[in-house]
């Protein structure tokens, strides 16, 4: 038995895993972008269904839309609380409004089916993404395409 295991047994400490509050620089809006695009695709699919459509498909589309709208809110919240700093607000004075509007759009898209609103959500997340990746503190190696 190694020393760490012995200490853990004696103190009954359990290991936990979580995203830390240390600014590690691993903040990437790609999850929010994919989630917003999924919300949009699901809204389009739901709007295209007719009255004779399979109820199972409708339920699955709604569940995916709602799950991904919530993911947008979560990912934007992480950027807002952990990544953006006072200097970002100086450089982008409307940043608070952009973040607030994006999360409100995500909430609205979770509650409703409207492909136009979902398209606005995609645009809003893209706009925040462009602010994020344009920062000079960001590594210049972007591992994904900006759509």
């Amino acid at each position: 038995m190694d020393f760490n295991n012995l200490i853990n047994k004696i103190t009954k400490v359990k290991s936990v895993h979580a995203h830390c509050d240390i600014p590690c620089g691993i903040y990437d809006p790609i999850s929010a972008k994919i989630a917003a695009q999924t919300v949009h695709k699901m809204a389009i699919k739901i709007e295209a269904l007719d009255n004779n459509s399979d109820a199972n498909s409708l339920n699955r589309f709604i569940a995916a839309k709602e799950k991904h709208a919530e993911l947008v809110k979560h990912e934007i919240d992480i950027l807002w609380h952990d990544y953006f700093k006072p200097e970002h607000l100086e450089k982008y004075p409307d940043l608070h409004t952009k973040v607030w509007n994006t999360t409100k759009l995500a909430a609205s898209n979770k509650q409703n089916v409207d492909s136009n609103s979902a398209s606005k959500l995609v645009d809003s997340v893209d706009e925040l993404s462009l602010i994020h990746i344009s920062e000079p503190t960001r590594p210049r190696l972007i591992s994904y395409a900006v759509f």
Side-chain angles (χ1 to χ4, degrees), residues 31-41 68 72 118 121-123 125:
S31 296
K33 289 171 64 65
I34 292 170
Q37 292 169 2
T38 301
V39 169
H40 187 231
K41 296 285 185 181
H68 286 86
V72 170
L121 176 63
V122 170
D123 293 343
V125 170

Side-chain angles (χ1 to χ4, degrees), residues 44-147:
I44 291 170
K45 286 180 175 288
I46 293 167
E47 289 173 342
L49 292 174
D50 60 24
N51 290 338
N52 298 324
S53 295
D54 177 25
N56 184 52
S57 293
L58 174 61
N59 288 333
R60 291 177 67 210
F61 296 159
I62 291 170
K65 177 187 68 71
E66 291 182 2
K67 174 183 172 184
H68 286 86
E70 189 64 33
L71 182 59
V72 170
K73 290 172 27 180
H74 175 74
E75 293 295 325
I76 296 303
D77 195 50
I78 289 172
L79 284 176
W80 180 242
H81 293 288
D82 294 351
Y83 175 76
F84 290 122
K85 305 289 182 240
E87 54 268 21
H88 293 109
L89 288 171
E90 290 173 13
K91 188 172 180 180
Y92 306 99
D94 60 345
L95 182 59
H96 183 275
T97 302
K98 288 179 189 291
V99 169
W100 190 81
N101 286 338
T102 302
T103 56
K104 288 296 183 185
L105 269 170
S108 175
N109 276 279
K110 184 176 176 186
Q111 297 167 353
N112 303 296
V113 177
D114 180 354
S115 60
N116 291 326
S117 178
S119 179
K120 290 176 186 173
L121 176 63
V122 170
D123 293 343
S124 189
V125 170
D126 285 348
E127 191 174 356
L128 287 174
S129 174
L130 290 174
I131 290 171
H132 175 262
I133 66 171
S134 68
E135 284 301 300
T137 57
R138 285 280 299 154
R140 290 294 164 212
L141 299 173
I142 303 298
S143 60
Y144 58 88
V146 177
F147 299 98

